Amino acid sequence: MERCLRYRYYRLASPAVAEILESLMALSGPPILKNRPDRAAVDPLRQARSCYDHLAGSLAVVLADTLQRNGWINLQERDYQVTEVGEHGFAAFGLDLPALRHQQRLFARRCIDWSERRPHIGGALGAALMTQFQESGWIRRNPGDRKIWVSSAGQQGLWKTFGIDATP
C-alpha cells in the first residue's frame, strides 16, 4: 500500500492475483450503480469511453462479443486470437495485423470492463480499432475526456460492418 494525500493505492502481488480478481469480478455480474453517489458522472461513461488507448464500455463489450460470435476472434486464456476469418475481416477494415503483431506490446489482450464486468479488446488490436473508428469519423472524443460519442456515420458503419446497434 502506498499513501498519496488522502488516498491509498494498493499493488497486487502478481499478475496471477490480478487474473483471479478479474475472474471473480466477471462472475459477480454487472455492478449495481443506482446507489452510487457519483452515478451522474459514471452513467455517461457506461456506453462508450476510452480505456487507456482502446474502446471500453458496453459498446466495446458488444463489439468483442460480436467479433467472437462471427468467428473473427477467439478468447484463449488472457488474450484474443484472430481467426482466419478475422484476418480477412480486419484487413478489409483497414487494419495491418502483421504490423500490429510486431509492436512492443500485447497484441489483443482481454481487458475486463469496469462497468460491464465483461471483457473488451485491449492491446495493439484494441488501440488500432479505436484509431480506425476515430479516423473514419465513427467516434469522437474531447481532449482530456474519456467519454466517447458515436456519430450517425459510426452508428451506420458499426451496423454495416459488424452488425452492432450503437444507438444510445
Side-chain angles (χ1 to χ4, degrees):
M1 191 265 301
E2 177 182 336
R3 287 183 186 207
C4 183
L5 300 174
R6 65 181 180 155
Y7 300 101
R8 289 176 176 76
Y9 297 97
Y10 294 87
R11 284 192 195 96
L12 300 178
S14 71
V17 173
E19 191 168 335
I20 290 168
L21 289 174
E22 286 181 349
S23 296
L24 289 172
M25 284 177 56
L27 284 174
S28 66
I32 299 170
L33 298 177
K34 66 181 177 184
N35 296 330
R36 284 185 66 141
D38 61 348
R39 184 174 176 195
V42 170
D43 278 349
L45 296 174
R46 289 191 75 182
Q47 184 196 12
R49 67 179 174 281
S50 63
C51 178
Y52 302 101
D53 61 354
H54 59 273
L55 188 64
S58 61
L59 177 60
V61 170
V62 168
L63 176 63
D65 289 347
T66 301
L67 292 174
Q68 284 186 82
R69 190 173 47 256
N70 293 342
W72 288 35
I73 59 174
N74 291 318
L75 183 58
Q76 294 181 353
E77 296 182 24
R78 295 266 307 151
D79 295 310
Y80 289 100
Q81 304 299 318
V82 177
T83 66
E84 189 174 329
V85 172
E87 293 280 341
H88 296 295
F90 287 125
F93 187 60
L95 301 186
D96 183 355
L97 295 186
L100 296 176
R101 286 188 175 99
H102 284 88
Q103 290 184 7
Q104 293 291 332
R105 65 185 296 178
L106 295 167
F107 171 64
R109 183 56 128 190
R110 175 191 70 167
C111 186
I112 299 294
D113 195 273
W114 63 258
S115 63
E116 304 302 308
R117 291 195 181 155
R118 301 198 36 243
H120 60 256
I121 304 166
L125 179 59
L129 282 166
M130 183 152 144
T131 299
Q132 188 72 3
F133 292 161
Q134 288 175 306
E135 290 175 357
S136 299
W138 289 11
I139 63 173
R140 78 174 168 80
R141 147 184 192 202
N142 294 330
D145 188 5
R146 293 184 62 198
K147 170 73 174 127
I148 289 179
W149 287 266
V150 180
S151 68
S152 59
Q155 291 172 5
Q156 292 173 8
L158 287 164
W159 177 253
K160 288 178 184 174
T161 307
F162 302 107
I164 294 172
D165 181 5
T167 54

